[in-house]
Amino acid sequence: MDTRRSLRILATVLGTAGLLISGCTSGGSTSASPTTAPASSAPAVPAALKSYYAQQLKWRNCGVEGFQCTTMIAPLDYKKPDSGDIKLAVARKKATGPGKRIGSLLVNPGGPGGSAIEYLQSYAAVGYPAQVRARYDMVAIDPRGVARSEPVVCLTGPQMDTYTQVDQTPDDAGEVTDLGGAYKQFASGCEKRSGEVLPHVSTVETARDMDMLRALLGDEKLHYVGASYGTFLGATYAGLFPARVGRLVLDGAMDPSLNAVDLNRDQTAGFETAFQAFAADCVKKAGCPLGTTSTADAATRLKRLFADLDARPIDTGDSRRLTESLGTTGVIAAMYDESAWPQLREALAAAQKGDGSGLLSLSDGYYERRPNGTYANLMFANAAVNCLDLPPAFADAKAVTRAVPSFEKASPVFGKAFAWAALNCAHWPTPPTGTPHRIEAKGAAPIVVVGTTRDPATPYKWAESLADQLSSGTLLTYQGDGHTAYGRGSDCIDTAINTYLLEGTPPAKGKKCS
């Protein structure tokens, strides 16, 4: 695999991992109603925020060649700006030329919880098309509560190991109690270790941080590429500040109008679609570990493997054994990009022979578990943002039990696990500040919404819905597999997006690429 493409896949997968097993899919936050002022009248900076918008960023060497870093100060609570601050990490790589500089291009890989700075330094600022990097300063801000920006912390490494192994397809009352206890311990750990920041990591607050950064960078308009959850962040910005929208690319779009149950169930169906594509490819190959007859047989064999792991976890060469939960996570991780399918076939074949190391490796990558047994804060931040942005999908175990059949209809393979995973926000210590809502962003400049027809994590219909909601939205379709489309090898997609970023001209209505 091409190195830059590999880095891009890694960054995007890790940036969106938390949409699943942490249990509460990202949704809309409405702690402040989106602004709908016409483009001709950008709202003035509130008096209480003027000192923040007037601060001087002090850039320094990052320790990574070609990059500069700084710290931006924002109010911890935008409703009470005088009640304390939060420090947010920012990085940039200046435009390389040739050609006239357009401005700054902010990037966000998703999550919520993915480090935008890591994505910038490992891929965007070195792997985006040269003509884009030539004319934009490539910029990233780690959202509040994420990575370098006062990260949310919930569990120790050993505690997280235990958490990831808890059975997420409970078969009896005792296992239901164990799962609920794990969610309560996770939430309690977040409150204990990050209680001050926990109520202030909503998507709306992060969007307000982005507007402050836009101003401090000297840009009249915000130019932005967001993937997965990053599309919801970008759309939220557009709803709040339509007059300040520049060139926005929302790739792998989310639908802010859906509640948490529908979001989780839709995503369950998305992973079923991705699995069917993987299975259809696998059964054509000699030695496919899921058989060589049909996708239905492949699904049956995978479910049998999960059942076997539930009954008897297998060795991994590690102190941890491969449980059903870890095995399921490993399979899910490989659904994000078809380039991981060969690795998944090898891991499944090994697991059938009693070696769980391959699936454990995929699962560890998904959870951002380091070799020393510690974890990055992706999953902690993911839950913190999700549980703040929307009311919980389910209030209790009884509600999950009632919903399981509809989830299993969406995905016979993953449905039960996804339904129970959506229980975690029920025990969250901080009340949600958001509700489902449409985002129209009336008066905004043209916004490009990108959808992939067999995207597992952000189903294509979400892109259709967001493009329809946005008053200036244009849908660009990638007919293919995997999560997101820009930079995945489609010249059609890349040309359309590059033209928009460089010239401001969105693709033709209804444009489809493969």
Side-chain angles (χ1 to χ4, degrees), residues 268-290:
T268 302
F271 275 87
E272 179 67 21
T273 298
F275 171 72
Q276 290 295 322
F278 163 74
D281 178 74
C282 186
V283 298
K284 296 175 184 177
K285 294 175 167 40
C288 171
L290 300 181

Side-chain angles (χ1 to χ4, degrees), residues 2-377:
D2 176 83
T3 302
R4 289 184 178 178
R5 176 171 166 75
S6 176
L7 288 169
R8 180 259 179 207
I9 291 168
L10 175 65
T12 302
V13 168
L14 297 184
T16 58
L19 289 170
L20 294 170
I21 299 303
S22 64
C24 191
T25 318
S26 170
S29 176
T30 54
S31 58
S33 299
T35 303
T36 55
S40 59
S41 57
V45 175
L49 298 180
K50 285 186 177 180
S51 63
Y52 291 99
Y53 273 77
Q55 67 185 286
Q56 297 293 314
L57 297 180
K58 298 179 180 179
W59 295 96
R60 62 186 183 278
N61 189 298
C62 283
V64 180
E65 186 177 356
F67 289 88
Q68 297 175 308
C69 290
T70 191
T71 300
M72 186 182 85
I73 306 300
L76 178 63
D77 185 348
Y78 273 94
K79 294 180 179 179
K80 300 177 181 178
D82 59 351
S83 63
D85 297 334
I86 187 169
K87 297 178 180 179
L88 305 175
V90 181
R92 74 178 178 187
K93 187 175 185 182
K94 302 197 77 172
T96 58
K100 183 180 179 181
R101 178 183 174 277
I102 295 172
S104 304
L105 182 64
L106 268 68
V107 295
N108 183 285
S115 170
I117 291 178
E118 180 180 350
Y119 177 72
L120 178 79
Q121 294 179 341
S122 66
Y123 175 71
V126 294
Y128 271 29
Q131 62 268 41
V132 173
R133 292 181 283 119
R135 300 187 60 196
Y136 283 100
D137 292 346
M138 301 294 294
V139 179
I141 177 172
D142 274 351
R144 48 180 61 209
V146 174
R148 298 165 177 84
S149 294
E150 302 197 18
V152 172
V153 178
C154 300
L155 301 177
T156 65
Q159 287 175 329
M160 192 64 179
D161 279 347
T162 300
Y163 177 77
T164 61
Q165 295 177 70
V166 173
D167 191 344
Q168 284 192 313
T169 58
D171 300 313
D172 54 43
E175 291 185 349
V176 169
T177 298
D178 290 345
L179 181 58
Y183 288 146
K184 290 176 183 177
Q185 182 186 29
F186 186 99
S188 176
C190 296
E191 184 177 31
K192 177 182 177 181
R193 296 176 174 87
S194 302
E196 183 179 7
V197 72
L198 216 57
H200 302 293
V201 294
S202 72
T203 298
V204 162
E205 288 163 307
T206 295
R208 292 191 179 282
D209 295 337
M210 291 201 321
D211 189 64
M212 186 184 301
L213 179 58
R214 169 204 59 78
L216 297 178
L217 292 171
D219 292 334
E220 181 180 352
K221 306 283 186 178
L222 179 79
H223 306 304
Y224 174 83
V225 177
S228 196
Y229 162 80
T231 68
F232 175 61
L233 177 57
T236 298
Y237 180 91
L240 288 166
F241 306 105
R244 297 174 185 161
V245 168
R247 300 168 190 179
L248 263 62
V249 177
L250 309 180
D251 185 11
M254 296 189 64
D255 182 353
S257 71
L258 298 178
N259 62 40
V261 174
D262 289 338
L263 281 165
N264 277 275
R265 192 162 40 216
D266 281 356
Q267 194 174 65
T268 302
F271 275 87
E272 179 67 21
T273 298
F275 171 72
Q276 290 295 322
F278 163 74
D281 178 74
C282 186
V283 298
K284 296 175 184 177
K285 294 175 167 40
C288 171
L290 300 181
T292 57
T293 56
S294 67
T295 57
D297 183 48
T300 298
R301 290 177 183 237
L302 183 59
K303 290 173 67 177
R304 186 182 306 142
L305 174 62
F306 289 159
D308 289 345
L309 292 173
D310 189 25
R312 293 176 297 278
I314 61 177
D315 290 335
T316 63
D318 186 276
S319 60
R320 296 167 295 154
R321 294 170 67 81
L322 186 75
T323 62
E324 179 190 14
S325 292
L326 289 173
T328 301
T329 304
V331 173
I332 287 168
M335 293 297 100
Y336 279 88
D337 195 283
E338 66 272 23
S339 67
W341 290 358
Q343 183 182 357
L344 177 59
R345 290 196 300 269
E346 292 179 6
L348 289 171
Q352 290 171 340
K353 297 175 182 177
D355 176 6
S357 59
L359 286 176
L360 182 64
S361 177
L362 285 165
S363 178
D364 284 351
Y366 184 98
Y367 282 119
E368 286 197 348
R369 185 185 191 272
R370 304 181 184 100
N372 66 0
T374 63
Y375 288 74
N377 96 305

